[in-house]
Amino acid sequence: MAFGYTGKYAVVDLTSGSVTTESYDKQFYRSYLGGKGFVAYNLLQQVRPRTEALSPENVLVFATGVLAGTRMPGFSRVVIGGKSPLTDGYCESEVGGSWGAQLKRAGYDALIVRGSSPTPVCIVVRDENVSIEDASELWGRTVKGTCSTLKSKLGKTTSVLSIGPAGEKLVRFACIMEDERDAAGRGGLGAVMGSKKLKAIAVTGSKPVAVKNAEELNKIAAWFAANFRNNAPSAALNTSGTPGLIPGLQASSMLPTRNFRAMRFDGWRELAKLGGEWKYRVVKEGCWACPIRCKLSFIVDDGAVGGSQVAHGPEYETIGAFGCALGIDDPLTVLRANVYCNDMGLDTISAGMTIAFTMDCVESGLVQDPELIRLGVRFGNSAVVMPLLEMIATRSGIGDLLAEGSLRAAKAIGAAAEKLAMQVKGLELPLHEPRGKTGVGLGYAVSDHGADHMTAPHDPLFSKAGAYGLETMECIGLDEPVSSVSMDEKKVRLYYYGNMWWDALKCLGACFFCVVPRGLLPVHMVVSAVSAATGWDFGLWELMKAGERAGCMARMFNSREGPCAQRDILPERLFSRSENGDYDGINRDEFYAAVKLYYQMRGWDPNTGIPTKAKLAELGLGWLA
Amino acid sequence: MRVRVRLWAGLNVYRQDRLSDFDLCLEAGATVRALLMKVNVPEEMTAVITVNGQKAKLGHELSDGDCVDVYPPICGG
């Protein structure tokens, strides 16, 4: 490949200890683009149906997009995929920082890891040199300890993906951390790394990415830098990061509270302090080439999180999961939980929501575990958060059951508990309320990797004439207001097109915060940037089709594992009115009719939810028929 | 009359002074819609408006001392 891509993958087999390089032709790159496209393609090719997620036969794919490592802001995320030990299905999870950019600059578009090692190892990539090295001394260490050891050995500019002790202990929602702050959080891919005895992947890349038209790319990047402060969503992220969502969600009655029992939380003002207006000084950080710098850290100089240090601030999802979802209004508890999860390598959403499930079970009288009673587990009791997290991360006591995730724990407790597990396909719900934005609910249900809030832009962006979503997405046919709480054919179309757009962006390794309708960069500039990087005569049609193709491949992966449509469901609680009556429950009949219509719009069988042969052929996926 | 205005989640980009929390003088009986025009925030960029913590419509008449919070649509992240 001449421009944009390196044209190469590194393939590491931990069983044989071999490292090889594979290359693909231009047609392959134009079909699958990168990111999610590469992940889904390689999982279908390399993971046999019904492979056990924590066995050596599972495969991990780390894939960048065509703009990774360039000056383009927000296009250097790495998409990580494998079979999930939490959902037993297709899993993708993305992370920012600079690891993706470094991999590209080392000379690889993607890295694939197969097999498993008998002893702990790490993979070290120094430009094109890829080696498997002993990591015995790193095993058992926290993420922070691992990063600091590897960086002192390999240099400060090295980027590290690693797991903490939770991944080693095979906690089913263990995450993969990028350096010490960012997480590829969802689906338990940290446990997959743990099962392979792979502690970390350190990458140092020094070669600039060759692009066809650097002037055009630089022009787009400069335009972004000059304008993001005039764009409301970007300016908000620049000021307060994602914690800045809290006041608006509370005002809209969409702040999931006490395991989604209620939609407003009285303690929201305390939690909103994590947006920066707190007693601790704030430092802002960001990802590769991005001027927004939406990551907040706090200088905690009173020892409140264990010694004077920079404490990486929680994102909104984490604040929701350890704050309102638990009925807890103490920002310090949330900050401590975030720091601990990052260090142990736990997904904060699944960890918080599994604790919410536990509190709900205790309050509902479904669990009489003496350990939980002694701890005083109940909504609002902040004192139980850290002990429970420690038990989960180390799989001690009842933590061993909770480390299996809320669905497996519920099955062990009994049928009544299953109704309290707020999950889809085993993945715990993020902190967005489908009763107030039904498209998010549709997304939770039909997403192939389980309940994810980032599969399509959310409904309120499209709910009134002239709204930012409609203004910026008119070019893909979203030009008509759709009520946030409807569940009709317009809503299904909105979700379908929005999902295709976001899957297309996942193929580019893009951050949704940088691109419309959640950020600044307009659709035509995204297309221009790909053309500028590759020199291709590239268009929006091709980009959207790549998104649709990637989504279709993810569905085909799951179709090999068992029935699909039966897993496209929502937790029972969402079909009833919320506790304080802000919104009605989702209408069950309308919802399942919408799911069926969604399948049909996509060219999937309306009963099985599996892509038809005709759709596979249309997308050039005949090899999957 | 004087009201307090708070523009949340980036809505202050529509103001030249970029203030997000300020006092504003309005004619007696001015509505929320009039307030939005005066502070230069486009109606279509707002999702929820509250007056003294209660959701309010664009035609709501304001009173002296009111506190008006203006929120844009909130998406995920």
Side-chain angles (χ1 to χ4, degrees), chain A residues 487-503:
Chain A
M487 190 55 97
D488 56 9
E489 60 191 40
K490 286 182 188 170
K491 177 57 60 77
V492 177
R493 182 171 171 273
L494 172 65
Y495 178 76
Y496 170 34
Y497 285 14
N499 171 252
M500 232 194 314
W501 173 239
W502 276 21
D503 271 353

Side-chain angles (χ1 to χ4, degrees), chain A residues 229-230 232 235-236 245 247-249 251-253 317 432 453 458 460-461 464-467 471 513 518, chain B residues 6 8-14 18 43-48 50 55 58 71-77:
Chain A
R229 284 193 180 86
N230 300 323
L245 300 174
L249 287 172
S252 320
S253 303
E317 299 302 327
H432 292 277
H453 59 295
H458 292 192
L461 287 169
K464 65 164 118 169
E471 184 194 323
F513 292 168
R518 182 66 180 84
Chain B
R6 288 186 293 196
W8 293 90
L11 286 178
N12 61 328
V13 301
Y14 298 105
R18 296 296 169 115
E43 276 175 37
E44 61 272 19
M45 296 303 166
T46 67
V48 177
T50 63
K55 281 183 193 167
L58 292 171
Y71 303 90
I74 301 291
C75 196

Side-chain angles (χ1 to χ4, degrees), chain A residues 421-537:
Chain A
M422 300 303 288
Q423 53 74 36
V424 177
K425 300 183 178 77
L427 187 70
E428 286 75 16
L429 258 61
L431 285 301
H432 292 277
E433 186 32 280
R435 284 169 288 197
K437 34 186 181 183
T438 51
V440 172
L442 186 58
Y444 284 172
V446 300
S447 158
D448 284 294
H449 47 282
D452 179 2
H453 59 295
M454 298 303 258
T455 63
H458 292 192
D459 315 51
L461 287 169
F462 303 91
S463 64
K464 65 164 118 169
Y468 188 61
L470 296 172
E471 184 194 323
T472 56
M473 301 307 289
E474 195 177 14
C475 56
I476 65 165
L478 296 176
D479 55 359
E480 196 181 356
V482 180
S483 157
S484 285
V485 293
S486 68
M487 190 55 97
D488 56 9
E489 60 191 40
K490 286 182 188 170
K491 177 57 60 77
V492 177
R493 182 171 171 273
L494 172 65
Y495 178 76
Y496 170 34
Y497 285 14
N499 171 252
M500 232 194 314
W501 173 239
W502 276 21
D503 271 353
L505 293 178
K506 285 184 185 179
C507 291
L508 297 176
C511 174
F512 300 128
F513 292 168
C514 291
V515 182
V516 296
R518 182 66 180 84
L520 172 65
L521 202 70
V523 171
H524 71 89
M525 284 199 192
V526 175
V527 174
S528 295
V530 177
S531 294
T534 56
W536 298 342
D537 176 20

